[in-house]
Amino acid sequence: MKIFLDTANVDEIKKVRDWGLLDGVTTNPSLAAKELAKGISFKELVAQILKETPGPVSVEVVATDYDGMLKQALRIGALADNAVVKIPMTLPGLKTIKTLTEKRIPVNCTLIFNPLQALFAAKAGAEYVSPFVGRLDDIGEDGMSIIDEIKTIFINYNIKTKILVASIRNPVHVLRSAIIGADVVTMPFEVVSKLTSHPKTDEGLKRFLDDWKKDFGDGDFPL
Ligand code: G3P
């Protein structure tokens, strides 16, 4: 399972990359707006993210009609080899995905909230589908159950589109994604940090070091 960071913050990207965990990045207009408020231009921000990420970076269009989305998508696609165009799951979106796929520009179809939307995005040619599990949980639905259903549908029809689980809010979303066999999880920096720590790890490490210090104190490592 690939691990993507759901962020437009370059410092977070560098940290997770340097921990050896980063397979890619997903951004969206809300995440970008948070960074733009700090004074950087959108062009510069996207260029930095593409450069620092050792894998695919999803950049979302903000037009909603076919011509507008296609125009923006072609600009995104031309930026770098690792640029992936994020297109919303709408009818003009499907048409845009089809055109981009014919041009061999990879698409991540976003804002997916039921399994049939994922099937249709896949049929249009999307390389990734992004179901939003946290936002379904927010309205009292079980977000992860649609990941299960999408996985079954994709297996049934031998669909190669990758399931990219988005709107992840906690480590259990990540665990369930791995058990189902999702291709990618994209998560905020805070969830990555939570996943790497456990109180028993901290307790165990402290005990090892306390025992060691009884014999060797703080002296040089004796090897
Ligand atoms: O990038 C799309 C998705 O991951 C957004 O997550 O937490 O805003 O629902 P969230």
Side-chain angles (χ1 to χ4, degrees), residues 135-163:
R135 292 192 196 184
L136 282 169
D137 292 354
D138 290 346
I139 57 163
E141 292 185 32
D142 176 19
M144 287 310 300
S145 68
I146 77 159
I147 306 303
D148 225 347
E149 291 167 350
I150 295 170
K151 181 75 185 175
T152 302
I153 292 169
F154 283 12
I155 289 171
N156 286 349
Y157 298 106
N158 196 22
I159 290 169
K160 298 296 174 212
T161 298
K162 298 177 187 80
I163 304 171

PDB file of all heavy atoms in Angstrom, residues 135-163:
ATOM      1  N   ARG A 135     -15.414  12.098   5.462  1.00  0.00           N
ATOM      2  CA  ARG A 135     -16.605  12.941   5.279  1.00  0.00           C
ATOM      3  C   ARG A 135     -17.878  12.105   5.293  1.00  0.00           C
ATOM      4  O   ARG A 135     -18.949  12.621   5.618  1.00  0.00           O
ATOM      5  CB  ARG A 135     -16.483  13.765   3.990  1.00  0.00           C
ATOM      6  CG  ARG A 135     -15.376  14.806   4.100  1.00  0.00           C
ATOM      7  CD  ARG A 135     -15.402  15.813   2.984  1.00  0.00           C
ATOM      8  NE  ARG A 135     -14.133  16.527   2.932  1.00  0.00           N
ATOM      9  CZ  ARG A 135     -13.874  17.523   2.124  1.00  0.00           C
ATOM     10  NH1 ARG A 135     -14.796  17.952   1.277  1.00  0.00           N
ATOM     11  NH2 ARG A 135     -12.695  18.121   2.138  1.00  0.00           N
ATOM     12  N   LEU A 136     -17.772  10.816   4.934  1.00  0.00           N
ATOM     13  CA  LEU A 136     -18.942   9.930   5.070  1.00  0.00           C
ATOM     14  C   LEU A 136     -19.175   9.608   6.542  1.00  0.00           C
ATOM     15  O   LEU A 136     -20.321   9.619   7.014  1.00  0.00           O
ATOM     16  CB  LEU A 136     -18.743   8.646   4.252  1.00  0.00           C
ATOM     17  CG  LEU A 136     -18.968   8.803   2.748  1.00  0.00           C
ATOM     18  CD1 LEU A 136     -18.503   7.565   1.996  1.00  0.00           C
ATOM     19  CD2 LEU A 136     -20.449   9.066   2.440  1.00  0.00           C
ATOM     20  N   ASP A 137     -18.100   9.328   7.276  1.00  0.00           N
ATOM     21  CA  ASP A 137     -18.241   9.096   8.728  1.00  0.00           C
ATOM     22  C   ASP A 137     -18.919  10.304   9.386  1.00  0.00           C
ATOM     23  O   ASP A 137     -19.761  10.141  10.268  1.00  0.00           O
ATOM     24  CB  ASP A 137     -16.869   8.889   9.393  1.00  0.00           C
ATOM     25  CG  ASP A 137     -16.191   7.581   8.977  1.00  0.00           C
ATOM     26  OD1 ASP A 137     -16.817   6.778   8.265  1.00  0.00           O
ATOM     27  OD2 ASP A 137     -15.026   7.380   9.371  1.00  0.00           O
ATOM     28  N   ASP A 138     -18.530  11.503   8.916  1.00  0.00           N
ATOM     29  CA  ASP A 138     -19.072  12.742   9.515  1.00  0.00           C
ATOM     30  C   ASP A 138     -20.597  12.808   9.443  1.00  0.00           C
ATOM     31  O   ASP A 138     -21.224  13.471  10.255  1.00  0.00           O
ATOM     32  CB  ASP A 138     -18.532  13.984   8.776  1.00  0.00           C
ATOM     33  CG  ASP A 138     -17.054  14.216   9.039  1.00  0.00           C
ATOM     34  OD1 ASP A 138     -16.516  13.606   9.978  1.00  0.00           O
ATOM     35  OD2 ASP A 138     -16.441  15.021   8.302  1.00  0.00           O
ATOM     36  N   ILE A 139     -21.168  12.167   8.406  1.00  0.00           N
ATOM     37  CA  ILE A 139     -22.639  12.236   8.286  1.00  0.00           C
ATOM     38  C   ILE A 139     -23.292  10.919   8.708  1.00  0.00           C
ATOM     39  O   ILE A 139     -24.408  10.599   8.299  1.00  0.00           O
ATOM     40  CB  ILE A 139     -23.082  12.652   6.862  1.00  0.00           C
ATOM     41  CG1 ILE A 139     -22.519  11.690   5.792  1.00  0.00           C
ATOM     42  CG2 ILE A 139     -22.694  14.088   6.560  1.00  0.00           C
ATOM     43  CD1 ILE A 139     -23.242  11.806   4.458  1.00  0.00           C
ATOM     44  N   GLY A 140     -22.570  10.165   9.528  1.00  0.00           N
ATOM     45  CA  GLY A 140     -23.149   8.969  10.132  1.00  0.00           C
ATOM     46  C   GLY A 140     -23.129   7.732   9.257  1.00  0.00           C
ATOM     47  O   GLY A 140     -23.800   6.747   9.572  1.00  0.00           O
ATOM     48  N   GLU A 141     -22.369   7.784   8.147  1.00  0.00           N
ATOM     49  CA  GLU A 141     -22.229   6.574   7.328  1.00  0.00           C
ATOM     50  C   GLU A 141     -20.876   5.926   7.637  1.00  0.00           C
ATOM     51  O   GLU A 141     -19.987   6.573   8.173  1.00  0.00           O
ATOM     52  CB  GLU A 141     -22.316   6.938   5.836  1.00  0.00           C
ATOM     53  CG  GLU A 141     -23.706   7.409   5.445  1.00  0.00           C
ATOM     54  CD  GLU A 141     -23.833   7.647   3.946  1.00  0.00           C
ATOM     55  OE1 GLU A 141     -23.169   6.955   3.167  1.00  0.00           O
ATOM     56  OE2 GLU A 141     -24.606   8.552   3.578  1.00  0.00           O
ATOM     57  N   ASP A 142     -20.739   4.636   7.263  1.00  0.00           N
ATOM     58  CA  ASP A 142     -19.462   3.966   7.477  1.00  0.00           C
ATOM     59  C   ASP A 142     -18.617   4.140   6.216  1.00  0.00           C
ATOM     60  O   ASP A 142     -18.772   3.394   5.242  1.00  0.00           O
ATOM     61  CB  ASP A 142     -19.705   2.477   7.781  1.00  0.00           C
ATOM     62  CG  ASP A 142     -18.392   1.710   7.905  1.00  0.00           C
ATOM     63  OD1 ASP A 142     -17.343   2.353   8.117  1.00  0.00           O
ATOM     64  OD2 ASP A 142     -18.412   0.469   7.775  1.00  0.00           O
ATOM     65  N   GLY A 143     -17.749   5.161   6.236  1.00  0.00           N
ATOM     66  CA  GLY A 143     -16.946   5.491   5.054  1.00  0.00           C
ATOM     67  C   GLY A 143     -16.169   4.305   4.513  1.00  0.00           C
ATOM     68  O   GLY A 143     -16.085   4.089   3.304  1.00  0.00           O
ATOM     69  N   MET A 144     -15.621   3.495   5.418  1.00  0.00           N
ATOM     70  CA  MET A 144     -14.758   2.408   4.951  1.00  0.00           C
ATOM     71  C   MET A 144     -15.530   1.333   4.190  1.00  0.00           C
ATOM     72  O   MET A 144     -14.937   0.596   3.399  1.00  0.00           O
ATOM     73  CB  MET A 144     -14.022   1.761   6.136  1.00  0.00           C
ATOM     74  CG  MET A 144     -12.921   2.606   6.722  1.00  0.00           C
ATOM     75  SD  MET A 144     -11.719   3.281   5.538  1.00  0.00           S
ATOM     76  CE  MET A 144     -11.027   1.820   4.796  1.00  0.00           C
ATOM     77  N   SER A 145     -16.847   1.252   4.417  1.00  0.00           N
ATOM     78  CA  SER A 145     -17.582   0.179   3.726  1.00  0.00           C
ATOM     79  C   SER A 145     -17.572   0.423   2.212  1.00  0.00           C
ATOM     80  O   SER A 145     -17.608  -0.528   1.429  1.00  0.00           O
ATOM     81  CB  SER A 145     -18.999   0.031   4.270  1.00  0.00           C
ATOM     82  OG  SER A 145     -19.733   1.181   3.925  1.00  0.00           O
ATOM     83  N   ILE A 146     -17.476   1.692   1.772  1.00  0.00           N
ATOM     84  CA  ILE A 146     -17.437   1.893   0.312  1.00  0.00           C
ATOM     85  C   ILE A 146     -16.080   1.477  -0.278  1.00  0.00           C
ATOM     86  O   ILE A 146     -15.995   1.105  -1.441  1.00  0.00           O
ATOM     87  CB  ILE A 146     -17.865   3.309  -0.163  1.00  0.00           C
ATOM     88  CG1 ILE A 146     -16.793   4.346   0.048  1.00  0.00           C
ATOM     89  CG2 ILE A 146     -19.183   3.751   0.403  1.00  0.00           C
ATOM     90  CD1 ILE A 146     -17.020   5.546  -0.866  1.00  0.00           C
ATOM     91  N   ILE A 147     -15.061   1.505   0.546  1.00  0.00           N
ATOM     92  CA  ILE A 147     -13.752   1.038   0.051  1.00  0.00           C
ATOM     93  C   ILE A 147     -13.832  -0.464  -0.224  1.00  0.00           C
ATOM     94  O   ILE A 147     -13.371  -0.968  -1.258  1.00  0.00           O
ATOM     95  CB  ILE A 147     -12.622   1.332   1.079  1.00  0.00           C
ATOM     96  CG1 ILE A 147     -12.597   2.823   1.460  1.00  0.00           C
ATOM     97  CG2 ILE A 147     -11.263   0.882   0.537  1.00  0.00           C
ATOM     98  CD1 ILE A 147     -12.439   3.774   0.317  1.00  0.00           C
ATOM     99  N   ASP A 148     -14.471  -1.149   0.712  1.00  0.00           N
ATOM    100  CA  ASP A 148     -14.690  -2.584   0.557  1.00  0.00           C
ATOM    101  C   ASP A 148     -15.463  -2.881  -0.730  1.00  0.00           C
ATOM    102  O   ASP A 148     -15.093  -3.775  -1.515  1.00  0.00           O
ATOM    103  CB  ASP A 148     -15.553  -3.034   1.742  1.00  0.00           C
ATOM    104  CG  ASP A 148     -15.051  -4.309   2.357  1.00  0.00           C
ATOM    105  OD1 ASP A 148     -14.202  -4.965   1.741  1.00  0.00           O
ATOM    106  OD2 ASP A 148     -15.525  -4.644   3.453  1.00  0.00           O
ATOM    107  N   GLU A 149     -16.534  -2.109  -0.956  1.00  0.00           N
ATOM    108  CA  GLU A 149     -17.375  -2.347  -2.133  1.00  0.00           C
ATOM    109  C   GLU A 149     -16.637  -2.016  -3.435  1.00  0.00           C
ATOM    110  O   GLU A 149     -16.731  -2.746  -4.420  1.00  0.00           O
ATOM    111  CB  GLU A 149     -18.680  -1.540  -2.014  1.00  0.00           C
ATOM    112  CG  GLU A 149     -19.583  -2.073  -0.910  1.00  0.00           C
ATOM    113  CD  GLU A 149     -20.737  -1.142  -0.549  1.00  0.00           C
ATOM    114  OE1 GLU A 149     -20.757   0.022  -1.013  1.00  0.00           O
ATOM    115  OE2 GLU A 149     -21.615  -1.574   0.206  1.00  0.00           O
ATOM    116  N   ILE A 150     -15.896  -0.929  -3.423  1.00  0.00           N
ATOM    117  CA  ILE A 150     -15.134  -0.561  -4.632  1.00  0.00           C
ATOM    118  C   ILE A 150     -14.118  -1.659  -4.944  1.00  0.00           C
ATOM    119  O   ILE A 150     -13.950  -2.080  -6.092  1.00  0.00           O
ATOM    120  CB  ILE A 150     -14.415   0.808  -4.460  1.00  0.00           C
ATOM    121  CG1 ILE A 150     -15.431   1.940  -4.302  1.00  0.00           C
ATOM    122  CG2 ILE A 150     -13.504   1.097  -5.650  1.00  0.00           C
ATOM    123  CD1 ILE A 150     -14.824   3.277  -3.879  1.00  0.00           C
ATOM    124  N   LYS A 151     -13.460  -2.150  -3.900  1.00  0.00           N
ATOM    125  CA  LYS A 151     -12.457  -3.210  -4.098  1.00  0.00           C
ATOM    126  C   LYS A 151     -13.110  -4.437  -4.748  1.00  0.00           C
ATOM    127  O   LYS A 151     -12.576  -4.999  -5.714  1.00  0.00           O
ATOM    128  CB  LYS A 151     -11.842  -3.574  -2.738  1.00  0.00           C
ATOM    129  CG  LYS A 151     -10.774  -4.633  -2.793  1.00  0.00           C
ATOM    130  CD  LYS A 151      -9.468  -4.086  -3.343  1.00  0.00           C
ATOM    131  CE  LYS A 151      -8.446  -5.194  -3.507  1.00  0.00           C
ATOM    132  NZ  LYS A 151      -7.224  -4.729  -4.142  1.00  0.00           N
ATOM    133  N   THR A 152     -14.286  -4.812  -4.241  1.00  0.00           N
ATOM    134  CA  THR A 152     -14.988  -5.979  -4.800  1.00  0.00           C
ATOM    135  C   THR A 152     -15.331  -5.738  -6.270  1.00  0.00           C
ATOM    136  O   THR A 152     -15.111  -6.601  -7.132  1.00  0.00           O
ATOM    137  CB  THR A 152     -16.285  -6.249  -3.994  1.00  0.00           C
ATOM    138  OG1 THR A 152     -15.926  -6.461  -2.639  1.00  0.00           O
ATOM    139  CG2 THR A 152     -17.029  -7.463  -4.512  1.00  0.00           C
ATOM    140  N   ILE A 153     -15.871  -4.554  -6.558  1.00  0.00           N
ATOM    141  CA  ILE A 153     -16.264  -4.246  -7.950  1.00  0.00           C
ATOM    142  C   ILE A 153     -15.033  -4.274  -8.872  1.00  0.00           C
ATOM    143  O   ILE A 153     -15.068  -4.857  -9.961  1.00  0.00           O
ATOM    144  CB  ILE A 153     -16.956  -2.858  -8.021  1.00  0.00           C
ATOM    145  CG1 ILE A 153     -18.309  -2.918  -7.305  1.00  0.00           C
ATOM    146  CG2 ILE A 153     -17.140  -2.406  -9.462  1.00  0.00           C
ATOM    147  CD1 ILE A 153     -18.953  -1.559  -7.077  1.00  0.00           C
ATOM    148  N   PHE A 154     -13.945  -3.679  -8.420  1.00  0.00           N
ATOM    149  CA  PHE A 154     -12.745  -3.632  -9.265  1.00  0.00           C
ATOM    150  C   PHE A 154     -12.180  -5.043  -9.485  1.00  0.00           C
ATOM    151  O   PHE A 154     -11.682  -5.364 -10.569  1.00  0.00           O
ATOM    152  CB  PHE A 154     -11.686  -2.699  -8.654  1.00  0.00           C
ATOM    153  CG  PHE A 154     -11.985  -1.227  -8.861  1.00  0.00           C
ATOM    154  CD1 PHE A 154     -13.226  -0.792  -9.316  1.00  0.00           C
ATOM    155  CD2 PHE A 154     -11.013  -0.259  -8.602  1.00  0.00           C
ATOM    156  CE1 PHE A 154     -13.507   0.567  -9.504  1.00  0.00           C
ATOM    157  CE2 PHE A 154     -11.274   1.102  -8.797  1.00  0.00           C
ATOM    158  CZ  PHE A 154     -12.523   1.518  -9.244  1.00  0.00           C
ATOM    159  N   ILE A 155     -12.273  -5.898  -8.457  1.00  0.00           N
ATOM    160  CA  ILE A 155     -11.810  -7.288  -8.633  1.00  0.00           C
ATOM    161  C   ILE A 155     -12.746  -8.008  -9.615  1.00  0.00           C
ATOM    162  O   ILE A 155     -12.292  -8.679 -10.545  1.00  0.00           O
ATOM    163  CB  ILE A 155     -11.746  -8.033  -7.282  1.00  0.00           C
ATOM    164  CG1 ILE A 155     -10.585  -7.502  -6.437  1.00  0.00           C
ATOM    165  CG2 ILE A 155     -11.596  -9.551  -7.491  1.00  0.00           C
ATOM    166  CD1 ILE A 155     -10.545  -8.004  -5.009  1.00  0.00           C
ATOM    167  N   ASN A 156     -14.073  -7.808  -9.432  1.00  0.00           N
ATOM    168  CA  ASN A 156     -15.056  -8.482 -10.311  1.00  0.00           C
ATOM    169  C   ASN A 156     -14.769  -8.240 -11.778  1.00  0.00           C
ATOM    170  O   ASN A 156     -14.940  -9.116 -12.619  1.00  0.00           O
ATOM    171  CB  ASN A 156     -16.473  -7.958 -10.032  1.00  0.00           C
ATOM    172  CG  ASN A 156     -17.034  -8.491  -8.729  1.00  0.00           C
ATOM    173  OD1 ASN A 156     -16.470  -9.390  -8.141  1.00  0.00           O
ATOM    174  ND2 ASN A 156     -18.144  -7.918  -8.285  1.00  0.00           N
ATOM    175  N   TYR A 157     -14.388  -7.013 -12.108  1.00  0.00           N
ATOM    176  CA  TYR A 157     -14.250  -6.642 -13.526  1.00  0.00           C
ATOM    177  C   TYR A 157     -12.796  -6.413 -13.937  1.00  0.00           C
ATOM    178  O   TYR A 157     -12.532  -5.827 -14.981  1.00  0.00           O
ATOM    179  CB  TYR A 157     -15.126  -5.405 -13.816  1.00  0.00           C
ATOM    180  CG  TYR A 157     -16.582  -5.733 -13.570  1.00  0.00           C
ATOM    181  CD1 TYR A 157     -17.239  -5.245 -12.451  1.00  0.00           C
ATOM    182  CD2 TYR A 157     -17.262  -6.593 -14.435  1.00  0.00           C
ATOM    183  CE1 TYR A 157     -18.565  -5.586 -12.198  1.00  0.00           C
ATOM    184  CE2 TYR A 157     -18.572  -6.939 -14.186  1.00  0.00           C
ATOM    185  CZ  TYR A 157     -19.225  -6.440 -13.062  1.00  0.00           C
ATOM    186  OH  TYR A 157     -20.512  -6.800 -12.819  1.00  0.00           O
ATOM    187  N   ASN A 158     -11.879  -6.855 -13.071  1.00  0.00           N
ATOM    188  CA  ASN A 158     -10.458  -6.745 -13.382  1.00  0.00           C
ATOM    189  C   ASN A 158     -10.067  -5.306 -13.768  1.00  0.00           C
ATOM    190  O   ASN A 158      -9.359  -5.073 -14.751  1.00  0.00           O
ATOM    191  CB  ASN A 158     -10.113  -7.734 -14.510  1.00  0.00           C
ATOM    192  CG  ASN A 158      -8.617  -7.952 -14.607  1.00  0.00           C
ATOM    193  OD1 ASN A 158      -7.891  -7.708 -13.632  1.00  0.00           O
ATOM    194  ND2 ASN A 158      -8.150  -8.374 -15.766  1.00  0.00           N
ATOM    195  N   ILE A 159     -10.577  -4.345 -12.993  1.00  0.00           N
ATOM    196  CA  ILE A 159     -10.305  -2.918 -13.254  1.00  0.00           C
ATOM    197  C   ILE A 159      -8.965  -2.541 -12.624  1.00  0.00           C
ATOM    198  O   ILE A 159      -8.704  -2.866 -11.463  1.00  0.00           O
ATOM    199  CB  ILE A 159     -11.459  -2.061 -12.693  1.00  0.00           C
ATOM    200  CG1 ILE A 159     -12.706  -2.291 -13.539  1.00  0.00           C
ATOM    201  CG2 ILE A 159     -11.092  -0.580 -12.631  1.00  0.00           C
ATOM    202  CD1 ILE A 159     -13.980  -1.713 -12.946  1.00  0.00           C
ATOM    203  N   LYS A 160      -8.138  -1.869 -13.401  1.00  0.00           N
ATOM    204  CA  LYS A 160      -6.778  -1.559 -12.940  1.00  0.00           C
ATOM    205  C   LYS A 160      -6.674  -0.204 -12.220  1.00  0.00           C
ATOM    206  O   LYS A 160      -5.622   0.133 -11.659  1.00  0.00           O
ATOM    207  CB  LYS A 160      -5.797  -1.571 -14.125  1.00  0.00           C
ATOM    208  CG  LYS A 160      -5.703  -2.931 -14.801  1.00  0.00           C
ATOM    209  CD  LYS A 160      -5.124  -3.988 -13.850  1.00  0.00           C
ATOM    210  CE  LYS A 160      -5.153  -5.384 -14.460  1.00  0.00           C
ATOM    211  NZ  LYS A 160      -5.350  -6.453 -13.477  1.00  0.00           N
ATOM    212  N   THR A 161      -7.719   0.596 -12.275  1.00  0.00           N
ATOM    213  CA  THR A 161      -7.725   1.894 -11.570  1.00  0.00           C
ATOM    214  C   THR A 161      -7.383   1.678 -10.097  1.00  0.00           C
ATOM    215  O   THR A 161      -7.875   0.732  -9.478  1.00  0.00           O
ATOM    216  CB  THR A 161      -9.122   2.539 -11.701  1.00  0.00           C
ATOM    217  OG1 THR A 161      -9.364   2.759 -13.085  1.00  0.00           O
ATOM    218  CG2 THR A 161      -9.207   3.846 -10.937  1.00  0.00           C
ATOM    219  N   LYS A 162      -6.555   2.580  -9.559  1.00  0.00           N
ATOM    220  CA  LYS A 162      -6.103   2.404  -8.167  1.00  0.00           C
ATOM    221  C   LYS A 162      -7.072   3.071  -7.184  1.00  0.00           C
ATOM    222  O   LYS A 162      -7.529   4.196  -7.434  1.00  0.00           O
ATOM    223  CB  LYS A 162      -4.703   3.003  -8.007  1.00  0.00           C
ATOM    224  CG  LYS A 162      -3.667   2.323  -8.890  1.00  0.00           C
ATOM    225  CD  LYS A 162      -2.313   3.010  -8.743  1.00  0.00           C
ATOM    226  CE  LYS A 162      -1.306   2.458  -9.739  1.00  0.00           C
ATOM    227  NZ  LYS A 162      -1.433   3.010 -11.091  1.00  0.00           N
ATOM    228  N   ILE A 163      -7.333   2.384  -6.093  1.00  0.00           N
ATOM    229  CA  ILE A 163      -8.193   2.938  -5.032  1.00  0.00           C
ATOM    230  C   ILE A 163      -7.307   3.746  -4.090  1.00  0.00           C
ATOM    231  O   ILE A 163      -6.411   3.202  -3.436  1.00  0.00           O
ATOM    232  CB  ILE A 163      -8.918   1.826  -4.253  1.00  0.00           C
ATOM    233  CG1 ILE A 163      -9.727   0.946  -5.218  1.00  0.00           C
ATOM    234  CG2 ILE A 163      -9.801   2.421  -3.162  1.00  0.00           C
ATOM    235  CD1 ILE A 163     -10.308  -0.312  -4.574  1.00  0.00           C
TER     236      ILE A 163
END
